[in-house]
Amino acid sequence: MSTSHTTAQSSNTFSESMLNRKSDIVLRVGKICLASGTGSYRVKQSMAKVAHMLGVVNQAHVTLTEIDSTCRQGNQFKTEVCTLYSVGVNNHRIQQIETLIIDLEANPTQWFKPNFLDELDHQLSRIEQQPGLYRPLMSGLFSAIACSSFTFLVGGGFMEMLGVFFAAGLGHLVRRLLMDKHLNHFFATMVAAAVAAALYFLIFSVIKHVYGINSQHEAGYIASMLFLIPGFPLITGVLDLAKLDFSSGIQRIGYAVAIIFCATFSAWLVAVCVNMEPQPLLTPHLNDGLLFVFRLLASFFGVLGFSLMFNSPMRTATTAAAIGMIANTLRLSSIDWWHVPPQAASLLAACLVGLLACVFSQIRHCPRIALSVPAVCIMVPGVYMFRAVYYLEQNNILNAINWSIQALLIVVALPMGLALARMFTDKEWAYTSGPSKNS
């Protein structure tokens, strides 16, 4: 009797120990995904897939910075909670974790190896410990390329692009260095916005003094801060809302709005010091053919720069840039030539991005989110957002409401387009029955 009791107790202890370890690994997968900036739905899906491989059932609640995970095996369960203290985007890490899960799903015989937990733990450590692909100086260069390209797309000319190139590059470099020091996100955003705006004004004050150029070129200072637009949280937040995950979606959108407000407030202070208000840009006069070609180029390099800023591998970034080039140029052309409302054009362009991302994600073997979100970020109305908050801070309520509504409608249309594309190509988005047992 005593021996049987001891054996049963040892078996229960061993089973509990194994459940603890499996639960830790499942939570670790979710933490890597969440820290990399992917949406709540994707975090839950990745955790559920790894839990299935380990022979447990996982249920998780995910917000912007927290995961509440419960793993069950038979009559035993374990609940764990983890909290992140920073928010960021790392497309390379998203791609690595999804590639790992896909490879494991393709070889289910590995799940039953005695050392499977050790191997999985080692793979996760390798992914977590891998440094960023690009140094801060390179990241600043990518920001310069992205924002100067964005400047042309919102109506700027060569002079504005030149000023934005240097201002956005230095601004993002400063922000990256501050973030690497683990400074508060909002403080780093305000400092970066102030540096970018101040450098832009300094550049044009010198050029205006030496060459006597039109002072309206200074209106491009807003474009120098477009690297601060939190496109990833905005898009993934609305996508979470589309999956009825309101806790995560609202938090992501709230974080994005707070970042935009901090950046705009800082830029407003700089603009007040130099007595500058947002004005229309001096749009260059080009024929339709040249305009179409330059939009193709600007869209490609704009998406490329943003994608590389998100730490995407070059192969993934160029694919996202090609997708964004096609969709964004068609969006702008449909607005100009066929007078399609900007909101409708944005929805259709985002849907096209989602469909193309579905195709190329299978060809390139990379996550759809790594292709679709950077390609859509170029369409986020950053100038509208900055003007809305600027006029709000100036107590110009009518202009603030006007620009806010225009920005809101486009921001909602973009993830709606991506969600429609997912519904057309993914049954888990088309139906409300929830993910399957194996997902």
Side-chain angles (χ1 to χ4, degrees):
M1 294 287 292
S2 176
T3 303
S4 300
H5 177 73
T6 302
T7 303
Q9 189 175 34
S10 299
S11 176
N12 288 335
T13 302
F14 176 76
S15 176
E16 183 178 345
S17 175
M18 289 298 293
L19 177 60
N20 288 341
R21 191 173 181 197
K22 291 176 181 179
S23 177
D24 290 342
I25 289 177
V26 171
L27 182 62
R28 194 175 177 189
V29 169
K31 188 176 180 180
I32 293 173
C33 293
L34 186 62
S36 301
T38 193
S40 170
Y41 166 76
R42 208 63 175 171
V43 175
K44 294 177 184 178
Q45 188 182 58
S46 298
M47 293 174 70
K49 287 180 177 180
V50 172
H52 177 68
M53 297 174 196
L54 300 178
V56 297
V57 177
N58 176 259
Q59 185 175 4
H61 176 70
V62 181
T63 65
L64 177 66
T65 57
E66 294 181 346
I67 301 177
D68 184 348
S69 170
T70 298
C71 284
R72 299 179 181 274
Q73 187 173 29
N75 295 325
Q76 294 181 320
F77 70 92
K78 181 181 181 182
T79 299
E80 294 183 273
V81 178
C82 78
T83 302
L84 302 179
Y85 296 98
S86 64
V87 178
V89 179
N90 191 329
N91 265 343
H92 187 218
R93 191 168 290 173
I94 294 174
Q95 186 167 339
Q96 285 183 307
I97 196 72
E98 291 210 9
T99 300
L100 173 63
I101 294 173
I102 290 172
D103 290 343
L104 292 174
E105 284 185 313
N107 298 281
T109 54
Q110 298 182 56
W111 307 352
F112 306 101
K113 290 183 179 179
N115 61 340
F116 178 62
L117 289 177
D118 294 329
E119 290 181 359
L120 185 54
D121 200 46
H122 173 72
Q123 292 288 345
L124 294 177
S125 296
R126 179 184 59 82
I127 294 173
E128 281 183 316
Q129 296 168 8
Q130 186 166 1
L133 297 175
Y134 313 107
R135 296 184 179 276
L137 194 61
M138 290 297 295
S139 187
L141 176 62
F142 301 147
S143 172
I145 294 172
C147 291
S148 59
S149 300
F150 208 142
T151 304
F152 178 81
L153 295 173
V154 297
F158 174 76
M159 295 296 293
E160 287 82 2
M161 292 175 67
L162 182 64
V164 167
F165 182 88
F166 293 103
L170 181 61
H172 184 68
L173 175 61
V174 169
R175 181 173 183 265
R176 171 73 183 270
L177 292 174
L178 293 178
M179 297 291 286
D180 287 347
K181 297 292 184 182
H182 305 289
L183 266 72
N184 182 276
H185 279 214
F186 302 113
F187 174 76
T189 298
M190 294 183 72
V191 172
V195 169
L199 180 58
Y200 186 91
F201 285 127
L202 178 62
I203 291 172
F204 274 94
S205 64
V206 172
I207 297 176
K208 184 169 63 174
H209 178 74
V210 174
Y211 297 101
I213 65 169
N214 192 323
S215 61
Q216 195 172 339
H217 286 296
E218 294 182 356
Y221 82 96
I222 292 180
S224 68
M225 299 171 291
L226 293 178
F227 66 91
L228 294 169
I229 291 294
F232 231 92
L234 272 176
I235 300 301
T236 55
V238 182
L239 287 175
D240 282 343
L241 292 181
K243 292 292 293 182
L244 302 182
D245 192 341
F246 285 86
S247 57
S248 176
I250 292 174
Q251 286 188 25
R252 287 175 185 272
I253 295 172
Y255 167 78
V257 171
I259 288 290
I260 294 169
F261 183 84
C262 288
T264 310
F265 183 80
S266 184
W268 171 71
L269 291 177
V270 175
V272 168
C273 292
V274 299
N275 196 27
M276 181 67 190
E277 295 184 7
Q279 301 179 40
L281 292 167
L282 288 174
T283 303
H285 298 288
L286 300 171
N287 63 54
D288 290 345
L290 278 177
L291 183 61
F292 187 82
V293 171
F294 285 149
R295 279 176 172 174
L296 283 172
L297 293 173
S299 297
F300 179 87
F301 285 106
V303 176
L304 180 68
F306 280 122
S307 187
L308 293 173
M309 282 171 58
F310 297 148
N311 199 48
S312 298
M314 184 60 72
R315 180 183 174 93
T316 302
T318 52
T319 305
I323 294 172
M325 174 184 69
I326 296 169
N328 190 53
T329 304
L330 290 176
R331 177 183 72 93
L332 295 173
S333 299
S334 66
I335 294 172
D336 290 346
W337 299 342
W338 302 307
H339 306 293
V340 177
Q343 299 80 12
S346 298
L347 186 145
L348 294 173
C351 186
L352 177 61
V353 166
L355 295 174
L356 292 175
C358 176
V359 174
F360 283 99
S361 64
Q362 299 176 21
I363 297 174
R364 294 292 195 182
H365 303 290
C366 60
R368 288 178 62 162
I369 192 172
L371 299 177
S372 59
V373 175
V376 165
C377 280
I378 197 73
M379 307 177 197
V380 173
V383 174
Y384 291 8
M385 295 177 182
F386 278 118
R387 284 179 175 171
V389 182
Y390 179 91
Y391 285 123
L392 181 64
E393 289 156 350
Q394 290 286 84
N395 203 30
N396 190 336
I397 304 302
L398 290 179
N399 270 330
I401 292 174
N402 176 43
W403 288 107
S404 296
I405 292 176
Q406 291 189 54
L408 177 63
L409 291 175
I410 295 175
V411 166
V412 171
L414 293 174
M416 281 181 61
L418 291 180
L420 283 175
R422 291 300 297 259
M423 293 175 191
F424 293 149
T425 58
D426 187 343
K427 64 181 181 180
E428 292 181 9
W429 280 75
Y431 300 96
T432 59
S433 57
S436 63
K437 182 179 180 180
N438 293 337
S439 64

